Amino acid sequence: MSKILARPPMNSQLQPISGRSGLPLVGHALAYIRDPLALMQENWDRFGEVSWFSMVGRKWIAVLGPDACQEVLQNKDRAFVNSDGWSVLIGPFFHGGLMLLDSEEHLRHRRIMQQAFTRTRIEKSVDALNPAIDSALDAWSPTDEFRAYTALKTLTLDLATDIFMGGVEGSTESEISSVKKAFVDCVQAATSLIRYPVPGTRWKRGLDGRRVLEEFFRRYLPARRNLETDDLFSVLCHIESEAGQRFSDDEVIDHMIFLLMAAHDTSTITLSTMMQYLGQHPKWQDRCRAESLALATSTPSYADLDGLSSLDLVMKECLRLVSPVPVMARRAVRDTRVRGHFVPAGTYVSVAPHFTHHMAQYWPDPERFDPERFAENRREDKVHRYAWEPFGGGVHKCLGMHFAGAEIKAIMHHLLTRFDWNVDADYVAPLDFTSLPFPSDGQPVDLRRRYSPVR
């Protein structure tokens, strides 16, 4: 039975938002974890672009479709904030990250952070990534039912700690292992149903993990302040905006914790999806491999990776099929409107690019793997400015998206030149949406080594 979220002011032409509360206490949390697309589709069919639903004791507005998403993400009247929205989900673990800042504070941090993701710095990161990827893949043991997601998650986390932290001279293997575990605990805590520090719960492990990370970075930060190198930890300690603004020690620590999470988790999801679909579509795998082999190098430059056009099409299609960040959180700080509906101050808002990416109105046969959608002669992503939005939009659009693309292409280049793999054509990944989506079976592929890698 549908209910009204809140009545618009008297004499207002705005419509009230209809929705449903779901199960007692948990609301629609279990339905979302089980199949978010089905939940969103049901809301769309019953209520349209804007509706409300409950999630673990809070009412959220579901913003569906590119028009509604654009209105919230562009945020022209500045009625929506990131901080209060994301803080409910990940604030205790990733506070201070760029995604959780707003207004002038966000602008100041973004202007400084932009200096960490210039083309020159990304080029240097790619140069460092290549030997690290090569070394990591040497340890892979090809077999049937190889758990690709599990291996890729280890790989991207290793790359994040090596490239972003520069190895952190003097740290022990035990320390690095505890750091990696702390990152995983923080990510998994974000959608914990029990949101109190009860021993044994995800929430408590996440809070403990945050403390481990803060202590680790604070211990090594003075050395990074005194040592200017190309790793991100050092870069954040030294970069400054054009106006001469720099990050404080606390800000460096907050950004490191957030960026390390963002750099490995979302990339892992996209790489895993790409391995699945390339394994199910061998013609595309061969096409991508041919372009990589034509480079005749195991150390492709950033410019080389830019030229892997088929791989770029596959990456974009996989970002559409499985959005690494399925929803984006906001909160209204004053009464406002979305698509003619009244949104009262204090309302939590869930912007859902994952749903837009599967709308048949914009993507013909949306569940079919078809990278040519993004080819110049079709460009289905251009039918609406917000038809394809895996990196968000507006002033909070992902600052690291070019680095992420380079990392993903670099890893895929090495995989394609080293291995062949197959995935059963009928395989459907059992995605777990408890936090960010991941295949709960570890993503099995039949992996075979090709030749000695190109050197």
Side-chain angles (χ1 to χ4, degrees):
M1 180 178 177
S2 65
K3 299 178 181 179
I4 300 300
L5 177 65
R7 295 287 179 187
M10 289 185 64
N11 302 320
S12 171
Q13 299 300 310
L14 298 178
Q15 303 174 46
I17 297 175
S18 298
R20 54 219 169 98
S21 56
L23 298 172
L25 299 179
V26 298
H28 292 89
L30 299 179
Y32 177 86
I33 291 170
R34 185 167 57 248
D35 190 342
L37 275 181
L39 175 64
M40 295 172 196
Q41 186 66 55
E42 187 174 354
N43 273 29
W44 173 272
D45 292 341
R46 291 184 61 178
F47 308 113
E49 295 174 290
V50 185
S51 59
W52 73 267
F53 64 100
S54 63
M55 187 76 76
V56 196
R58 285 188 173 87
K59 292 180 179 179
W60 288 75
I61 290 178
V63 175
L64 304 175
D67 291 318
C69 288
Q70 179 175 4
E71 201 166 308
V72 175
L73 294 178
Q74 286 189 338
N75 195 21
K76 290 182 178 180
D77 63 355
R78 298 189 177 184
F80 298 104
V81 297
N82 274 37
S83 53
D84 288 352
W86 282 115
S87 291
V88 173
L89 303 175
I90 62 174
F93 320 109
F94 298 107
H95 57 80
L98 199 60
M99 195 171 73
L100 285 83
L101 302 177
D102 290 293
S103 302
E104 292 305 314
E105 184 182 27
H106 170 259
L107 182 59
R108 179 179 74 85
H109 282 249
R110 192 175 180 93
R111 283 174 173 166
I112 302 172
M113 187 70 74
Q114 283 173 339
Q115 306 309 311
F117 291 100
T118 61
R119 184 176 181 89
T120 299
R121 292 196 187 279
I122 295 176
E123 287 171 347
K124 290 180 179 180
S125 294
V126 169
D127 292 341
L129 279 169
N130 282 311
I133 296 168
D134 247 347
S135 177
L137 293 183
D138 282 341
W140 280 27
S141 299
T143 183
D144 289 346
E145 300 290 304
F146 180 82
R147 292 311 194 250
Y149 175 82
T150 305
L152 287 167
K153 189 169 181 63
T154 299
L155 169 61
T156 57
L157 192 50
D158 286 346
L159 291 176
T161 52
D162 288 346
I163 305 304
F164 280 18
M165 293 158 50
V168 189
E169 296 84 352
S171 59
T172 66
E173 186 174 335
S174 175
E175 276 186 305
I176 296 299
S177 294
S178 69
V179 165
K180 292 176 181 177
K181 181 181 182 302
F183 278 121
V184 173
D185 287 342
C186 286
V187 172
Q188 290 182 344
T191 52
S192 175
L193 295 180
I194 300 174
R195 307 180 79 79
Y196 299 95
V198 179
T201 62
R202 285 186 172 194
W203 194 261
K204 179 64 164 59
R205 288 195 294 271
L207 294 174
D208 292 344
R210 171 74 194 201
R211 282 193 291 272
V212 168
L213 296 174
E214 287 184 1
E215 291 169 2
F216 177 85
F217 287 119
R218 198 171 299 281
R219 186 161 61 253
Y220 289 98
L221 191 142
R224 279 298 184 269
R225 286 289 194 197
N226 296 320
L227 178 68
E228 190 165 0
T229 58
D230 290 331
D231 62 89
L232 185 65
F233 195 2
S234 179
V235 168
L236 293 184
C237 287
H238 295 93
I239 54 174
E240 57 182 44
S241 68
E242 293 179 356
Q245 297 169 313
R246 301 179 69 175
F247 290 135
S248 68
D249 287 359
D250 287 344
E251 289 168 348
V252 169
I253 292 168
D254 288 340
H255 285 305
M256 279 299 297
I257 292 172
F258 177 79
L259 288 171
L260 280 166
M261 177 276 293
H264 93 270
D265 232 34
T266 54
S267 295
T268 303
I269 293 162
T270 303
L271 285 162
S272 176
T273 306
M274 291 173 75
M275 284 199 74
Q276 174 194 331
Y277 283 102
L278 288 178
Q280 293 176 314
H281 299 270
K283 289 184 179 179
W284 273 100
Q285 186 177 154
D286 292 342
R287 177 172 162 176
C288 292
R289 180 176 292 110
E291 290 183 1
S292 281
L293 290 173
L295 295 179
T297 180
S298 65
T299 56
S301 66
Y302 186 31
D304 289 333
L305 297 174
D306 265 349
L308 298 176
S309 56
S310 295
L311 196 59
D312 189 66
L313 296 177
V314 170
M315 180 177 68
K316 288 176 177 176
E317 175 69 339
C318 288
L319 284 166
R320 181 189 72 82
L321 286 164
V322 181
S323 304
V325 183
V327 297
M328 299 166 189
R330 300 289 189 269
R331 195 181 190 194
V333 291
R334 60 176 177 272
D335 290 355
T336 186
R337 66 181 67 194
V338 175
R339 302 296 291 167
H341 291 79
F342 173 63
V343 179
T347 304
Y348 291 97
V349 181
S350 172
V351 183
H354 187 53
F355 180 77
T356 302
H357 293 170
H358 290 262
M359 294 178 71
Q361 297 96 310
Y362 303 97
W363 307 95
D365 196 3
E367 303 311 312
R368 182 166 61 92
F369 174 73
D370 181 10
E372 291 286 356
R373 298 177 193 276
F374 295 89
E376 285 303 321
N377 63 324
R378 288 175 61 183
R379 292 308 301 264
E380 292 177 11
D381 58 310
K382 295 297 185 181
V383 298
H384 190 291
R385 186 175 178 181
Y386 278 71
W388 188 72
E389 47 181 332
F391 300 104
V395 297
H396 281 92
K397 191 167 186 176
C398 178
L399 193 58
M401 62 183 182
H402 296 298
F403 171 82
E407 180 190 31
I408 289 167
K409 287 182 184 179
I411 293 172
M412 288 305 304
H413 169 81
H414 287 267
L415 289 172
L416 288 162
T417 55
R418 281 174 172 260
F419 304 106
D420 285 306
W421 64 90
N422 298 294
V423 176
D424 189 283
D426 296 325
Y427 171 81
V428 177
L431 294 177
D432 185 323
F433 286 85
T434 303
S435 54
L436 300 181
F438 70 94
S440 58
D441 61 355
Q443 180 76 83
V445 304
D446 295 338
L447 191 69
R448 296 287 179 269
R449 194 175 299 280
R450 288 175 53 78
Y451 322 105
S452 297
V454 176
R455 298 295 186 187

